[in-house]
Structure formats: C-alpha cells, structure tokens
C-alpha cells in the first residue's frame, strides 16, 4: 500500500473533488466508509447531495472556525491522505478500509485512539482500490494536531497492515531516493511529446557530466555547452560559487519561461556542495595514464571493476558506498562508449542503478579514485570495433551489479536491492547482445584437436569441479582459442585458468566457458610473470587455500535467482 499526504486550505474544494463523478471518470460510487464519530453526513448516500455536502464541510470546519476567531487556526488547515492498494491485492471491503483508516489516523497523530479531542476526519471511497482521508487539523481543545513525520509513521503502519492483511508488501526506501516527477510534470511531458519528464532528463545529463569531469569548473563548462540545456550559476556575495540551476530549452511555463531545477531538486547527491566534495575527493593524483601493465584503458577499467566486489565484502560502509557511487558513474558514461544498438539497454541499466548509488551510509569518495580515473581514461579511448574489450568490460560490471545487490541486501536497503536486480537484467541483455560476435570470431579460430585435448587436461586440473560443465558449454571453442593465444604469448594456460577461477566462483555461472574466456583474455594482456613472480604467486595461493574463513564470509545471504548469471 502507498500513502500520499498533503495539506491544503480549502475543505469544501477537497470534499467536492472526492465526491465528483463528472470530471473524474474513475470516481464510481463515492461514499463514506468511516468518520470521526460514525455519524457524519454522507453526500454519496444522501437524497440531497448539495445539502449533505454543505453539512459535512461545516462539521469538518467547525473547530477551524472556532480556532480562527482566537487567532489560533493554521493557515493550511486541511490534511489529505490517499491510500492505494497494489494492483495485485484483493478488493478490500468497506469495513477493512475503515479499520485501515483508523489505524492510519492514530499512527499519524491526527486522531489518536481513545483521544476525545482528536481531529475531525472522514474516509471517502470512490474507487475499488483506494480511499481518501480528509481531516481538519484543529483538535477539540483548539490546538493544532501534532502530526510531524506523518508520512513515515503512516508508511510504517501500512507495512504492518500489509503483513496482517496478507497484501502485497511494498518495497520501501530510506528517503535517499531522488524526487520523482510530479503528475503535472509527467502530463506536461506527454503533451509536449517528450519521452521523459524534464526533471529525469536533466538528472541524467547532470549525472553524466559529473562522471566525465574532474573539477567543478569543468563540470559547469560541460553543462553550459550541452545542447538543449540552460545553466545558471548562483554566487555568494564573496563571488564564490554557491550552486547551480539547470533547465531544458524544450520545457517552459505558460509564460514561455524556463522551468529551473537546482541540483538538490534533481537528486540528493547532485547539489553543488556534494558534487564539489566528490570531485575534490577523487581528483587525479597522477597523469591519469593507464597502468603500464595494461594494453588499453578498457583492460584497466575492467580490472578496476572486478576489484569492487572484494571492496564491498572487505571495506567499511563509507568506502563501499563510495565504490557504488563511482560504479554508478561508470554506468552513466557507458552508453556513450557503446555501439548504438546497445545504448538503449545500457541507458536503462544506468537509470535503474541510480537508485542503488545512494543510501544512509555516507560515502568517502576518495576510496574510489582509481575507478573514476579508469572512467576518464575510457572517455579518451573508444572501444575497439571488434567488441571484445566492451564485452570483457560488461562481463566485469555484471559481477559488480550482483555484488551491489548483496551489499544492499545485507543492510536491508530494499529499494536499492530492487534497483540493482533491475540493473542486472539490463546489463545481462546488453552483454548477451555484445558477446555474440566476439565469441563467434574466437570460435572460428579454434585450435587443432591436439591442442584442444591439451587444454581439456589443463581445465580438469585447474577447475576439476566444473570441468565437464565448461567442456559442454557452447562457448568452449572460444575458450580454447583464448587459451591458445595466451599460451602463444608465453603464459601458462593452467595458471591462467586458476587465476580466472579465483577471481569469480563458477558455482552459479550458467556459461562458465564464457566467463573464463573474458578473464583469460584480460589476464593474458599482462606481461608474462618471471620465475620468481610465479613462485610468489604459488606461495600466496597455497596460503589463501589453507587460511580459515572469516566469520563474515559465511554470513552472506543466498543469492536469489536474479543474481545467477550466464
């Protein structure tokens, strides 16, 4: 169930709307299901609608008029709460809606149970799936009702009601979500032929600008040069930048004036102070060139992304939250680096993960400096046309989406978990589309059977528990090609297989050969380790395998079916 609460000045106007059946076509059979004393006039069941409506408004406003004569009535004296059931819910009876109403007005402080001075209220049902509670905020003792945090208390009570009534349990947030477009904004976008409201469109542009820049000056400059954007910088009297406002040239008021949004109105983390903090914390400390070990920024970015799940498992909350925010920036810029055919899916993935980038945990952004540096390097070098680098990178970011869902799940961030799962679906679809051509090209380079047999031997030694599944995988030919090319470059295929398997457990991989192929390709781009380095790696592997598990490692919840991949 979802509650929406607002305040107003016109009791008569609200009652008129609730009982209207002419302008509002979805209002059918409006009537009272409950009231403050059980005897309130019901215009929907009266022979004389006009008189009953007038009497009802007068009864609701009685205490407001009394308090107004004493100068104690609040200006916005009307309290309006709508409660809507989920589409999956059964149709509730009037008696059930009446019980729900009484619990909500008690929880919010409008009319606590057993309080003779509670506010006057009525519950109107004019559709099968929702009710409206109309109340006036003046109590019997002519004091204003104490209803602070009424949305939170109502939402908390509705969560209990859902469980007790066996209704659909809504995924609830932690008040860190970006503000949703209003109904008026949505209708305006439809009238103007826009695919999304101006608020969402501007939020996407601003988030992408943050991901692509290294300073607030560059951020403002990039926004100012974006087509279709209007930018206004707000200054302190000292001349320092205080904030910014953005508007879309395509969205104006009736007077042809731009509709401006401050950064904080777009999302909590897009205010100018938050953006400045992030950019200053992640400013590059070096030339920003790719790591000398990697052949391209795409390999460096894939390596940075593959480290995020480990950071989420091992780092404290502030560092983990920083990596999630930086990963959101990765998804924001990824559509601009991918072929046109993949962009719609990647844009949906970025839009979905936006909700998973924020929580009540405060991010310490300096922890994510390496990942942001990798993102900036990507922007300077497009993905090769053969699609291998992009597919390898998508393989890595899918793992991050899975890890993000689990991190939020452990902390009961329900909305963020749902957002990460939705992101995973879009990334998986993009990956499947991107991987087809590179895998086919690799499969065409399948080595001779003698070489294949040798790689089968390597696979059975390196990953014995998954060997048969790997060999039967349709992508097995591509894996043998990748192993052959790595071997030709001087690498030990069996050691590469062990390293690839250590980076990602294969227990829930639907296509383990595909998983290993991209890791083999990435690992094989690094220089061939010396004999001393190989000895050190062997000792490190032996130590890890003999070390006891940390207690936290066994505390992770099982992955849902949505977390299973390829």
């Amino acid at each position: 169930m979802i509650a929406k609460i607002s305040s107003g000045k016109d009791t008569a106007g609200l009652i008129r709307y609730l009982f209207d059946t002419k302008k509002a076509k979805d209002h059918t059979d409006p009537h009272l299901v409950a009231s403050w004393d059980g005897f309130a006039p019901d215009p929907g069941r009266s022979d004389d609608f006009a008189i009953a409506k007038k009497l009802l408004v007068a009864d609701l406003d009685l205490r407001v008029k009394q308090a107004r004569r004493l100068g104690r009535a609040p200006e916005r004296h009307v309290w309006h709460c709508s409660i809507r059931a989920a589409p999956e819910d059964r149709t509730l009876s009037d008696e059930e809606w009446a019980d729900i109403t009484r619990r909500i007005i008690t929880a919010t402080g409008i009319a606590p149970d057993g309080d003779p001075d509670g506010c006057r209220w009525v519950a109107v049902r004019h559709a099968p799936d929702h009710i409206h509670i109309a109340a006036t905020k003046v109590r019997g003792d002519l004091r204003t009702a104490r209803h602070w945090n009424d949305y939170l208390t109502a939402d908390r009570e509705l969560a209990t009601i859902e469980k007790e009534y066996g209704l659909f349990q809504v995924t609830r947030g932690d008040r860190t979500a970006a503000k949703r477009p209003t109904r008026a904004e949505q209708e305006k976008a439809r009238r103007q032929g826009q695919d999304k409201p101006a608020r969402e469109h501007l939020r996407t542009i601003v988030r992408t600008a943050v991901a692509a820049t290294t300073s607030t000056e560059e951020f403002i400059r990039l926004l100012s040069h974006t087509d279709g954007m209007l930018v206004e910088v707000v200054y302190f009297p000292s001349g320092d930048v205080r904030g910014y406002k953005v508007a879309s040239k395509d969205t104006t008021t009736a007077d042809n004036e731009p509709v401006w949004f401050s950064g904080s109105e777009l999302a909590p983390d897009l205010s100018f102070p938050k953006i400045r903090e992030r950019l200053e914390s992640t400013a590059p400390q070096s030339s920003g060139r790719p790591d000398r070990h990697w052949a391209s920024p795409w390999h460096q970015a894939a390596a940075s992304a593959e480290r995020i799940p480990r950071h989420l498992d091992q780092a404290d909350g502030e560092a983990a939250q920083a990596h999630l925010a930086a990963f959101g920036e990765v998804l924001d810029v990824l559509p601009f680096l991918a072929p046109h055919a993949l962009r719609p899916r990647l844009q949906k993935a970025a839009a979905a993960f936006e909700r998973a980038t924020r929580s009540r945990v405060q991010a310490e952004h300096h922890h994510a400096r390496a990942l942001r540096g990798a993102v900036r390097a990507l922007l300077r070098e497009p993905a090769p046309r053969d699609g291998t680098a992009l597919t390898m990178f998508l393989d890595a970011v899918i793992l991050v989406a899975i890890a993000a869902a689990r991190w939020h799940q452990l902390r009961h961030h329900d909305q963020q978990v749902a957002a990460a799962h939705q992101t995973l679906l879009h990334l998986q679809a993009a990956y499947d589309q991107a991987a087809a051509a590179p895998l086919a090209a690799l499969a065409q380079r399948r080595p001779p059977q003698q070489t294949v047999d040798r790689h089968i031997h390597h696979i059975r030694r390196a990953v014995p528990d998954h060997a048969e599944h790997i060999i039967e995988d349709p992508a097995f030919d591509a894996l043998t090609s990748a192993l052959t090319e790595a071997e030709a470059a001087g690498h030990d295929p069996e050691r590469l297989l062990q390293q690839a398997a250590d980076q990602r457990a294969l227990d829930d991989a639907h296509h383990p050969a595909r998983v290993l192929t991209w890791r083999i390709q990435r690992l094989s781009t690094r220089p061939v380790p010396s004999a001393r380095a190989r000895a050190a790696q062997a000792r490190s592997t032996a130590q890890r395998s003999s070390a006891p598990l940390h207690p936290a490692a066994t505390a992770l919840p099982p992955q849902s079916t949505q977390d299973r991949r390829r």
Side-chain angles (χ1 to χ4, degrees):
M1 286 185 158
I2 297 294
K4 292 184 179 180
I5 299 176
S6 60
S7 296
K9 302 178 181 180
D10 186 3
T11 307
L14 175 58
I15 297 300
R16 186 185 312 114
Y17 162 75
L18 296 181
F19 284 92
D20 174 57
T21 57
K22 295 180 181 179
K23 294 182 179 179
K25 301 300 183 183
D26 57 339
H27 291 189
T28 58
D29 187 26
H31 61 280
L32 296 186
V33 297
S35 64
W36 73 94
D37 62 357
F39 298 101
D42 185 354
R45 293 291 185 266
S46 173
D47 293 334
D48 194 325
F49 174 81
I51 292 179
K53 184 185 71 172
K54 185 176 181 180
L55 290 174
L56 178 59
V57 171
D59 287 347
L60 287 171
D61 275 344
L62 175 63
R63 293 169 176 173
V64 176
K65 293 179 179 179
Q66 293 172 343
R68 188 170 290 148
R69 286 195 291 267
L70 300 175
R72 296 165 57 181
E75 181 182 3
R76 301 182 68 83
H77 64 272
V78 178
W79 187 84
H80 177 206
C81 174
S82 64
I83 305 173
R84 184 177 296 274
E88 301 89 339
D89 289 338
R90 59 183 173 84
T91 301
L92 300 173
S93 66
D94 284 357
E95 291 74 18
E96 288 174 316
W97 277 120
D99 176 60
I100 292 170
T101 299
R102 293 187 181 93
R103 293 176 65 166
I104 293 300
I105 61 171
T106 294
T108 56
I110 292 297
D113 187 29
D115 183 356
D117 288 327
C119 298
R120 294 190 168 192
W121 57 270
V122 293
V124 180
R125 183 179 189 179
H126 57 206
D129 63 346
H130 69 278
I131 61 167
H132 292 262
I133 306 173
T136 46
K137 299 180 184 179
V138 179
R139 293 167 42 83
D141 53 15
L142 301 189
R143 290 185 297 140
T144 301
R146 298 170 64 88
H147 61 97
W148 291 285
N149 287 328
D150 49 9
Y151 174 77
L152 290 179
T153 54
D155 194 54
R156 193 177 300 122
E157 185 64 24
L158 286 176
T160 303
I161 290 171
E162 289 167 354
K163 294 179 182 178
E164 294 181 5
Y165 276 72
L167 304 176
F168 175 79
Q169 296 184 29
V170 174
T171 300
R172 290 178 160 80
D174 54 6
R175 304 187 76 183
T176 61
K179 185 177 180 181
R180 295 180 180 179
T182 64
R183 183 175 180 178
E185 290 173 352
Q186 293 173 343
E187 292 177 350
K188 186 173 186 178
R190 283 195 292 269
R191 290 196 304 270
Q192 295 180 342
Q194 305 295 331
D195 58 345
K196 62 175 66 174
R199 186 191 300 270
E200 291 186 351
H201 176 66
L202 293 170
R203 183 188 303 137
T204 300
I205 294 176
V206 172
R207 283 180 57 84
T208 306
V210 173
T213 54
T214 59
S215 67
T216 53
E217 294 80 8
E218 185 181 2
F219 166 71
I220 295 296
R221 185 167 60 253
L222 182 58
L223 282 185
S224 301
H225 288 83
T226 301
D227 290 341
M229 285 277 289
L230 297 173
V231 181
E232 181 177 313
V233 182
V234 183
Y235 296 92
F236 286 111
S238 62
D240 296 328
V241 176
R242 178 181 180 181
Y244 71 99
K245 296 189 294 184
V246 291
S248 171
K249 292 181 179 179
D250 297 330
T251 305
T252 58
T253 65
D255 299 328
N256 205 32
E257 293 293 325
V259 180
W260 294 97
F261 296 90
S262 66
S264 60
E265 289 176 321
L266 298 178
D269 56 343
L270 294 183
S271 67
F272 188 77
K274 292 290 182 65
I275 291 175
R276 179 171 54 199
E277 176 188 357
R278 183 186 303 191
L279 295 180
E280 290 177 352
S281 298
T282 57
Q285 294 182 326
S286 63
S287 62
R289 295 176 182 174
D291 189 301
R292 62 184 178 85
H293 293 302
W294 301 112
S296 78
W298 285 90
H299 291 88
Q300 182 186 9
S304 298
E306 282 192 328
R307 287 193 289 268
I308 295 178
R310 186 169 65 252
H311 291 317
L312 297 183
D313 286 341
Q314 299 175 354
D316 57 26
E318 291 77 8
Q321 183 64 61
H323 286 291
L324 291 175
F327 179 64
E329 296 182 16
V330 171
L331 297 183
D332 288 333
V333 303
L334 196 53
F336 298 94
L337 305 172
H340 285 279
L342 296 179
R343 289 181 183 178
R345 280 290 187 182
L346 295 176
Q347 288 169 346
K348 291 179 180 178
F353 197 78
E354 185 266 344
R355 180 64 191 98
T357 60
R358 291 185 302 276
S359 71
R360 285 292 180 185
V361 180
Q362 185 68 31
E364 293 182 355
H365 292 289
H366 66 274
H367 292 286
R369 182 179 287 112
L371 184 58
R372 290 202 84 244
V375 172
R376 292 192 297 272
L378 289 182
L379 290 170
R380 294 193 296 268
E381 182 169 332
R385 291 186 178 182
D386 64 1
T388 301
L390 176 61
T391 305
M392 187 189 313
F393 188 62
L394 287 174
D395 175 83
V397 300
I398 284 174
L399 298 182
V400 181
I402 294 172
R406 299 192 68 190
W407 189 85
H408 282 304
Q409 184 178 359
L410 283 171
R411 288 150 186 82
H412 306 289
H413 301 161
D414 294 340
Q415 286 190 351
Q416 290 88 334
V417 171
H421 284 159
Q422 190 64 32
T423 303
L424 182 59
L425 294 177
H426 294 305
L427 289 176
Q428 184 68 64
Y431 170 85
D432 290 339
Q433 186 176 353
L439 284 173
L442 276 172
Q444 289 178 353
R445 302 199 296 269
R446 183 181 186 272
Q449 187 60 43
Q450 183 178 1
T451 304
V452 171
D453 292 340
R454 189 172 69 253
H455 291 325
I456 291 176
H457 177 71
H458 294 319
I459 291 169
R460 286 181 171 147
R461 284 175 56 89
V463 282
D465 294 341
H466 307 283
E468 298 308 318
H469 194 188
I470 294 170
I471 295 169
E472 294 172 359
D473 192 322
F476 177 67
D477 287 347
L479 174 59
T480 60
S481 296
L483 287 170
T484 302
E485 293 172 2
E487 189 176 32
H491 290 276
D492 180 350
E494 187 172 324
R495 182 170 297 279
L496 286 181
L497 285 165
Q498 290 173 341
Q499 291 176 346
D502 287 343
Q503 290 178 357
R504 169 72 169 99
L506 301 176
D507 295 336
D508 61 350
H510 293 316
H511 299 286
R514 222 164 39 165
V515 172
L516 292 173
T517 297
W518 307 123
R519 281 155 182 70
I520 294 297
Q521 287 226 317
R522 184 179 67 76
L523 291 170
S524 64
T525 61
R526 303 199 70 173
V528 178
S530 64
R532 180 179 299 178
R534 289 197 297 270
Q537 289 174 357
R539 289 194 299 271
S540 175
T541 301
Q543 291 173 357
R544 287 199 306 271
S545 60
S546 61
L549 285 176
H550 190 280
T554 62
L556 290 175
Q559 290 183 345
S560 68
T561 54
Q562 292 188 50
D563 288 347
R564 295 177 182 171
R565 61 183 288 269
R566 306 195 289 291

